């Protein structure tokens, strides 16, 4: 027996411990949550051996599969060779990773990278470098975006439920309507967003250091702007010397069918942030920029764990795996099939109001008679899908969007099986 098996305490005891020793702000999915004890590639396993095909991958993190041996072998090797020194001593993996990102991974002339440990920290660094470079204080952001939990990143976060701090700086961020409104045509909503941006720029364009955007809003409910949107937005910002930060923390590393989702729009951001999938579960974050902008981050700075040998060696293995297995192209192709399958279900079930996404970043919006009912149906579907052996995520402003972000190597038959299970669950609900 393994140590984990001997010390197994079960879901109720875990919930009780979290309630007793954690903060009340954290929650878990499901009325009857399983205790997940192991994972292998696109699957997770409960303590009773029940297998779940994982369509959420820990919120878009384990994009190359759980405990993928091609990656963990290199993590373990590094862990057993040299774990930590901090950046004040010279180690090779971080330098190799920065070089690798610059040569063929990052778009355009983005070249220099600073490594940190999480998405919030990557965005915090991007905002800092934008301020130092432009010598301006304020930021633009899209409504209903999510950028992090630190003070500055929470300031630019537009989703009310994630703006926890009562003392956010009300002046620092100006929010622009996002290019989506369920009551409007897509192009009209995007046009309205840019019109609002134009008015703000005309009034106080020279106060902004940067605009931070998710190329496809994840937590905001899988919002894909029209093809022309970011090109026009970037040109408008350039006229005022405002930098564009692409937050690719959820969209990055191939998930949407491009290495970075902003590439779908044919532009290169000034600063790009990544985290999540870059480490496939090992904590890592990064912000990358051009030679010229990076030159402005020249006062002393350091991250104790950022770019440590273990996370850097892991990220190098992740990039190798993505390349060797052709996962970027596969996300577009097989993810497209997933989205088509969801659209087919939308055609048959009124509960699915909309299907959105690109590649393996797909969402199905559930709509009942009221907002409360929409969220409640979503939770019921999640629970029943779990019973069928599928872990589905959820997001959206009303917490009513089913999120499908599986490992990018998921076999096609598991996608088909999930769609059949969802069909069955929706058919059952339509009869209630
Ligand atoms: C787009 C985006 N930015 C930033 C973050 C924050 O990342 P982290 O939780 O690693 O700090 C998230 C987390 O979900 C995210 O989805």
């Amino acid at each position: 027996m393994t140590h984990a098996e001997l010390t197994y305490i079960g879901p109720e005891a875990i919930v009780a411990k979290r309630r007793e020793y954690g903060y009340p702000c954290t929650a878990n999915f499901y009325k009857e949550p399983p205790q997940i004890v192991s994972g292998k590639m696109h699957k997770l396993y409960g303590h009773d051996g029940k297998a779940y095909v994982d369509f959420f991958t820990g919120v878009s993190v384990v994009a190359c599969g759980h405990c993928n041996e091609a990656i963990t072998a290199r993590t373990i090797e590094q862990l057993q060779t040299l774990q930590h020194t901090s950046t004040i001593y010279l180690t090779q993996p971080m330098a190799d990773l920065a070089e690798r990102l610059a040569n063929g991974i990052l778009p355009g002339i983005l070249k220099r990278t600073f490594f940190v440990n999480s998405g919030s920290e990557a965005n915090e660094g991007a905002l800092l470098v934008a301020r130092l470079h432009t010598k301006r204080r304020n930021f633009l952001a899209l409504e209903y975006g999510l950028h992090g939990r630190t003070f500055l990143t929470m300031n630019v976060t537009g989703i009310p439920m994630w703006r926890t701090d009562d003392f956010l700086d009300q002046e620092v961020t100006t929010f622009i309507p996002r290019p989506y409104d369920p009551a409007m045509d897509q192009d009209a909503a995007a046009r309205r967003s840019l019109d609002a941006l134009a008015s703000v720029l005309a009034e106080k364009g020279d106060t902004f250091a940067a605009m931070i955007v998710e190329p496809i809003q994840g937590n905001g409910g899988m919002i894909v702007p029209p093809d022309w949107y970011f090109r026009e937005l970037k040109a408008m910002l350039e006229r005022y010397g405002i930098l564009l930060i692409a937050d690719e923390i959820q969209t990055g590393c191939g998930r949407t069918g491009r290495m970075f989702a902003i590439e779908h729009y044919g532009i290169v951001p000034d600063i790009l942030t990544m985290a999540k999938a870059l480490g496939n579960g090992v904590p890592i974050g990064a912000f990358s920029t051009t030679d010229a902008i990076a030159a402005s981050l020249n006062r002393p700075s350091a991250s104790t764990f950022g770019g440590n040998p273990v996370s850097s060696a892991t990220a190098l293995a992740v990039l190798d795996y993505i390349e060797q297995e052709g996962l970027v192209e596969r996300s577009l192709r097989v993810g497209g099939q997933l989205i088509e399958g969801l659209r087919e279900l939308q055609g048959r079930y009124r509960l699915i109001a909309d299907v959105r996404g690109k590649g393996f970043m797909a969402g199905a919006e559930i709509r009942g008679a009221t907002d409360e009912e929409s969220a409640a149906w979503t939770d019921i579907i999640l629970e029943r899908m779990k019973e069928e052996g599928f872990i589905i995520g959820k997001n959206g402003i009303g917490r009513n969007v089913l999120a499908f972000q599986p490992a990018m190597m998921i076999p096609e038959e598991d996608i088909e099986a999930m769609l059949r299970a969802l069909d069955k669950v929706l058919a059952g609900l339509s009869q209630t």
Side-chain angles (χ1 to χ4, degrees), residues 30-295:
Y30 304 125
K31 281 206 182 86
E32 289 177 30
Q35 179 178 341
I36 304 294
V37 296
S38 64
K40 194 76 220 148
M41 299 309 271
H42 61 295
K43 289 189 179 167
L44 289 171
Y45 296 88
H47 72 279
D48 53 0
K50 185 173 166 73
Y52 301 91
V53 182
D54 184 7
F55 273 83
F56 207 31
T57 51
V59 195
S60 208
V61 170
V62 194
C64 293
H66 294 280
C67 305
N68 180 331
E69 277 166 30
I71 296 166
T72 55
R74 286 168 62 181
T75 310
I76 292 164
E77 189 191 4
Q78 186 61 55
L79 203 48
Q80 291 176 332
T81 311
L82 179 69
Q83 184 169 358
H84 176 77
T85 61
S86 95
T87 49
I88 48 182
Y89 303 98
L90 296 185
T91 58
Q92 190 171 332
M94 183 180 91
D96 283 350
L97 179 59
E99 180 188 47
R100 178 77 184 275
L101 289 170
N103 295 327
I105 304 288
L106 288 164
I109 57 166
L110 301 190
K111 181 183 155 201
R112 292 180 184 268
T113 299
F114 190 112
F115 293 102
V116 290
N117 310 290
S118 69
S120 298
E121 232 190 306
N123 283 339
E124 189 82 22
L127 296 167
L128 170 68
V129 77
R131 274 183 168 171
L132 291 173
H133 187 68
T134 59
K135 301 189 171 37
R136 297 173 182 172
R137 175 172 183 267
N138 294 340
F139 300 106
L140 290 154
L142 289 177
E143 281 174 0
Y144 303 122
L146 170 69
H147 301 294
R149 275 164 296 95
T150 58
F151 182 65
L152 207 45
T153 61
M154 194 184 285
N155 265 290
V156 294
T157 287
I159 300 181
M161 77 175 272
W162 300 124
R163 287 170 62 84
T164 326
D165 190 333
D166 289 332
F167 299 97
L168 289 175
D169 182 337
Q170 300 302 333
E171 269 173 39
V172 83
T173 311
T174 301
F175 288 99
I176 304 297
R178 65 178 175 174
Y180 171 78
D181 185 328
M184 284 172 97
D185 164 76
Q186 262 257 287
D187 281 326
R191 182 56 56 205
R192 182 188 63 175
S193 169
L194 292 188
D195 287 348
L197 177 62
S199 317
V200 171
L201 293 180
E203 188 198 332
K204 49 181 179 178
D206 60 356
T207 65
F208 298 110
M211 180 161 189
I212 184 164
V213 298
E214 293 162 83
I216 296 174
Q217 283 188 345
N219 214 266
M222 309 301 202
I223 305 302
V224 186
D227 292 346
W228 51 269
Y229 176 76
F230 282 118
R231 225 177 13 253
E232 285 197 27
L233 180 140
K234 177 86 173 83
M236 290 166 74
L237 296 180
E238 273 173 12
R239 265 175 247 137
Y240 290 85
I242 301 167
L243 305 180
L244 178 66
I245 301 171
D247 174 344
E248 296 266 7
I249 284 151
Q250 195 158 150
T251 48
C253 301
R255 173 159 297 286
T256 70
R258 290 294 184 95
M259 185 54 86
F260 295 104
I262 198 73
E263 295 174 76
H264 287 290
Y265 296 88
I267 59 157
V268 178
D270 299 291
I271 306 172
L272 185 150
T273 61
M274 60 192 117
K276 292 191 187 269
L278 183 61
N280 201 45
V282 170
I284 187 167
F287 54 100
S288 303
T289 190
T290 62
D291 272 336
I293 295 169

Side-chain angles (χ1 to χ4, degrees), residues 264-336:
H264 287 290
Y265 296 88
I267 59 157
V268 178
D270 299 291
I271 306 172
L272 185 150
T273 61
M274 60 192 117
K276 292 191 187 269
L278 183 61
N280 201 45
V282 170
I284 187 167
F287 54 100
S288 303
T289 190
T290 62
D291 272 336
I293 295 169
S296 300
L297 185 50
N298 53 19
R299 293 176 218 160
S301 187
S303 164
T304 300
F305 295 122
N308 71 77
V310 177
S311 55
S312 299
T314 305
L316 283 163
V318 165
L319 295 174
D320 283 348
Y321 188 78
I322 291 174
E323 199 173 282
Q324 280 154 17
E325 301 297 317
L327 293 184
V328 181
E329 180 277 329
R330 188 173 195 275
S331 292
L332 194 64
R333 185 170 48 81
V334 184

